Amino acid sequence: MSDPATSDFVIARQKMVDGQVRTSDVTDQRVIDAMLTVPREVFVPGDRTAMAYLDLDLDVGDNRFLQKPVVVARLLQAAEVRPTDTVLVVGCASGYTAALAARLAERVVATDPDAALVARARTALDKLGLTGVAVAVARVAEGDAAQAPYDVIVLEGATEIVPDKLYRQLKEGGRLVGVFADGDVKRATLVTHSHDDFGSRILFDASARLLPGMQRTPEFVF
């Protein structure tokens, strides 16, 4: 007999995909299948699992958040992750986006500055048998240069600064996707590496919480 709670989550996951993801121009079937397969509730604190599939940035503790499912889905679709790609997820929090990327790519590296969240991410990924994901403690803006270059880099949150060190960890033809904030305006953006240059293209307006260490330094006025 199936666990009623598990069945409820399966239904909620399907509703999330049908009501949030498909209706927001996400047509990449590989991304949709990943969203249907990865149980988001595994990456959420026990007292918030009932909120796992809501259309919101979900607090996973210590003022850290998983991005809205639709934002993650649209970013992954824009990144055009291939089965042979190596993906870096920075600010991975409890690991949900890294788990989705693991369904799309050959290898995933995930980093977060919070050691407790890194431990939770490892536990959740191990529970799902996703052995192709390496999770490490590192500042968001630093990425993981030791394992670079990457085909795709995903920001699990917003940045107010230009992440130059991350750009330099992209392969030729590599793509970085994330939400870039300029004041109150936040836009999902695709950055591509081509011939030692980095071009950017705005994808859509998006709300996202700022990642730690990615805030703009206030300017002092004398």
Side-chain angles (χ1 to χ4, degrees), residues 60-217:
V60 292
D62 295 325
N63 202 36
R64 296 297 303 286
F65 296 83
L66 300 183
Q67 294 189 106
K68 291 181 180 181
V70 65
V71 172
V72 175
R74 295 183 72 180
L75 289 175
L76 289 174
Q77 175 170 269
E80 298 182 350
V81 183
R82 298 179 292 257
T84 55
D85 281 352
T86 297
V87 176
L88 172 66
V89 180
V90 293
C92 69
S94 56
Y96 176 66
T97 298
L100 294 173
R103 297 286 183 181
L104 304 172
E106 182 174 10
R107 187 169 71 95
V108 177
V109 177
T111 66
D112 196 274
D114 187 321
L117 280 175
V118 166
R120 283 170 51 189
R122 286 174 177 157
T123 298
L125 293 163
D126 287 346
K127 181 176 181 178
L128 299 180
L130 295 173
T131 57
V133 186
V135 190
V137 177
R139 288 187 294 175
V140 175
E142 297 293 326
D144 191 338
Q147 307 209 48
Y150 303 99
D151 300 284
V152 172
I153 297 177
V154 182
L155 306 184
E156 179 65 54
T159 179
E160 290 182 331
I161 63 174
V162 175
D164 292 313
K165 288 187 178 180
L166 297 181
Y167 287 2
R168 292 196 291 271
Q169 293 175 33
L170 285 171
K171 289 182 181 178
E172 171 72 20
R175 291 85 64 202
L176 179 147
V177 289
V179 176
F180 285 67
D182 183 5
D184 293 331
V185 178
K186 295 179 181 177
R187 295 188 176 100
T189 301
L190 170 68
V191 177
T192 54
H193 178 198
S194 178
H195 304 296
D196 292 326
D197 194 14
F198 300 95
S200 64
R201 176 166 63 89
I202 293 172
L203 300 170
F204 54 92
D205 291 344
S207 63
R209 307 299 180 110
L210 282 175
L211 285 164
M214 305 301 276
Q215 301 89 344
R216 184 182 296 110
T217 303

